[in-house]
């Protein structure tokens, strides 16, 4: 991704001046334990995205089964088509739990005393890079999920079939694969428009509430700093010219939006208030200026997955920018 984000010569309010290398950062000895733990999760992330991208669903088989409820052959065909897909959806859900644990480990490392969050990000660049990669994966996953209605259709059919056959006292092999308790949890997960982002938002909120001795500012400053350096990188031609491909641009946009949403969920007054340490006008403006087909999806993430956009403390100008 090129040598990224050197914030130099810019007197930007709330924007620390340091180099954050999202491409080449290697873990120091002090970072290794957490880095290894998170890396084991991130190594699986690309395979998860590839599986989701190729997820075609069992729409045809389900339609045929519903249209001919008395045809046992079609019922069996639909069931056999849906079961491996539900097993795949279970893997996605279980991965979200691993991702949640990885995020908590990174938050602990990047906010622990005696260093301030900005010092952590500057000193522990490999962990900052992993944090960025988690956010990039999260928004990538959710964009794919939102454009694939087959996911919820398949799972709904699976649950209806399980319920119907339980009433008929028929044993279905796949029920041991996804039992009723797991199915309930998965149902809540996939009901969310952006399930991975919801998982991370909840995890960040829980991290703050459970670590009562840690000032909330330590967590929010970590998030606002990352949002700031991403914005500066995107709006400065000198830095943007170092991008080796368009994926770098999208990577930074997703990271910026991801940390804004987390900040908005954790901070008492959110990201849109005048007292916020995130320049929301600047962030929205820089998103709208990027020639990327994914920009609208990221703007929608700000519109629909933040908590404080419609608060009275949000200026009319910011709301107008997001309309």
């Amino acid at each position: 991704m090129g040598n990224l984000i050197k914030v130099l010569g810019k007197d930007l309010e709330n924007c620390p001046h340091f180099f954050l290398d999202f491409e080449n950062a290697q873990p120091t000895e002090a970072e290794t334990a957490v880095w290894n733990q998170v890396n084991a999760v991130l190594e699986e992330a690309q395979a998860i995205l590839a599986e989701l991208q190729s997820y075609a669903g069992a729409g045809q088989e389900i339609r045929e089964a519903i249209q001919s409820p008395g045809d046992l052959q079609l019922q069996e065909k639909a069931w056999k088509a849906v079961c491996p897909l539900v097993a795949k959806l279970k893997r996605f859900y279980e991965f979200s739990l691993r991702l949640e644990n990885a995020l908590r480990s990174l938050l602990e490392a990047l906010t622990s005393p005696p260093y301030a969050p900005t010092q952590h990000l500057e000193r522990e660049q490999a962990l900052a890079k992993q944090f960025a990669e988690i956010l990039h994966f999260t928004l990538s996953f959710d964009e794919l999920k939102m454009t694939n209605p087959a996911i919820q259709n398949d799972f709904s059919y699976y649950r209806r079939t399980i319920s119907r056959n339980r009433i008929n006292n028929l044993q279905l092999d796949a029920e041991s694969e996804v039992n009723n308790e797991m199915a309930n949890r998965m149902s809540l997960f996939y009901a969310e428009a952006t399930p991975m982002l919801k998982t991370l938002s909840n995890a960040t909120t829980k991290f703050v509430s459970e670590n009562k001795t840690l000032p909330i500012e330590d967590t929010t400053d970590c998030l606002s700093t990352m949002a700031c350096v991403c914005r500066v990188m995107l709006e400065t031609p000198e830095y943007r010219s170092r991008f080796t491909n368009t994926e770098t641009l999208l990577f930074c946009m997703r990271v910026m939006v991801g940390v804004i949403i987390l900040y908005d969920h954790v901070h008492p007054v959110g990201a849109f208030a005048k007292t916020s340490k995130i320049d929301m006008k600047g962030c929205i403006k820089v998103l709208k200026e990027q020639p990327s087909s994914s920009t609208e999806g990221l703007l929608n993430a700000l519109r629909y997955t933040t908590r404080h956009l419609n608060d009275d403390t949000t200026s009319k100008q910011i709301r107008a920018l997001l309309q």
Side-chain angles (χ1 to χ4, degrees), residues 38-279:
V38 176
N39 191 56
V41 178
L42 286 172
E43 282 180 343
E44 196 181 338
Q46 285 309 114
I48 293 285
L49 284 181
E51 278 195 79
L52 180 56
Q53 198 151 19
S54 63
Y55 189 101
Q60 180 66 28
E61 293 88 344
I62 291 171
R63 279 191 297 274
E64 290 174 355
I66 291 173
Q67 287 165 4
S68 305
D71 190 327
L72 293 180
Q73 198 171 3
L74 287 177
Q75 306 308 310
E76 187 177 349
K77 182 183 175 185
W79 181 248
K80 284 183 176 178
V82 164
C83 284
L85 293 172
V86 169
K88 194 176 285 192
L89 294 179
K90 182 188 176 190
R91 282 201 301 278
F92 297 165
Y93 168 72
E94 289 174 335
F95 183 76
S96 77
L97 304 180
R98 295 181 62 205
L99 199 71
E100 178 181 352
N101 288 333
L103 178 75
R104 287 175 63 83
S105 295
L106 287 174
L107 286 173
E108 285 171 10
L110 293 171
T111 58
S112 60
Y115 301 111
T118 300
Q119 291 172 305
H120 273 299
L121 289 172
E122 191 169 5
R123 292 165 57 92
E124 292 142 27
Q125 303 230 342
L127 299 186
K129 177 175 178 283
Q130 286 184 319
F131 191 13
E133 287 172 347
I134 284 178
L135 291 166
H136 182 258
F137 163 82
T138 295
L139 272 77
S140 301
F141 181 97
D142 287 347
E143 282 174 19
L144 288 170
K145 185 266 178 185
M146 279 193 289
T147 56
N148 195 337
I151 289 172
Q152 279 185 283
N153 291 341
D154 292 347
F155 194 62
S156 294
Y157 177 80
Y158 174 86
R159 296 207 75 186
R160 288 198 306 273
T161 305
I162 283 284
S163 179
R164 185 170 66 246
N165 284 282
R166 188 181 291 115
I167 291 168
N168 295 334
N169 294 317
L170 291 175
Q171 293 302 311
L172 298 172
D173 292 341
E175 191 169 7
S176 59
E177 176 71 29
V178 178
N179 61 31
N180 198 47
E181 184 187 351
M182 172 63 79
N184 287 337
R185 294 203 300 267
M186 287 171 61
S187 186
L188 290 172
F189 178 76
Y190 287 111
E192 295 288 341
T194 53
M196 287 290 177
L197 200 52
K198 178 70 172 176
T199 297
L200 294 197
S201 297
N202 288 346
T204 308
T205 304
K206 190 177 177 184
F207 172 79
V208 169
S209 65
E210 287 180 351
N211 289 273
K212 299 190 185 303
T213 58
L214 184 74
I216 189 172
E217 291 78 17
D218 284 13
T219 303
T220 55
D221 285 357
C222 175
L223 300 171
S224 62
T225 299
M226 288 192 74
C228 182
V229 290
C230 286
R231 173 178 59 80
V232 171
M233 174 192 59
L234 289 166
E235 69 187 8
T236 308
E238 179 192 341
Y239 309 139
R240 212 167 56 240
S241 67
R242 301 179 191 179
F243 296 169
T244 55
N245 57 54
T246 54
E247 279 302 302
T248 305
L249 186 75
L250 185 54
F251 179 90
C252 293
M253 287 194 290
R254 282 187 176 133
V255 173
M256 182 178 74
V257 169
V259 288
I260 288 170
I261 294 168
L262 292 186
Y263 182 100
D264 193 61
H265 276 256
V266 172
H267 198 283
V269 297
F272 299 95
K274 287 181 180 178
T275 53
S276 166
K277 289 189 177 181
I278 296 177
D279 175 6

Side-chain angles (χ1 to χ4, degrees), residues 4-66:
L4 301 186
I5 320 181
K6 199 167 187 180
V7 184
L8 297 171
K10 280 185 173 282
D11 185 18
L12 295 166
E13 185 182 0
N14 299 322
C15 204
H17 296 190
F18 66 90
F19 181 83
L20 181 53
D21 189 347
F22 279 154
E23 181 183 24
N24 299 310
Q26 295 298 315
T28 61
E29 189 175 345
E31 296 171 86
T32 301
V34 174
W35 189 92
N36 284 339
Q37 178 196 339
V38 176
N39 191 56
V41 178
L42 286 172
E43 282 180 343
E44 196 181 338
Q46 285 309 114
I48 293 285
L49 284 181
E51 278 195 79
L52 180 56
Q53 198 151 19
S54 63
Y55 189 101
Q60 180 66 28
E61 293 88 344
I62 291 171
R63 279 191 297 274
E64 290 174 355
I66 291 173

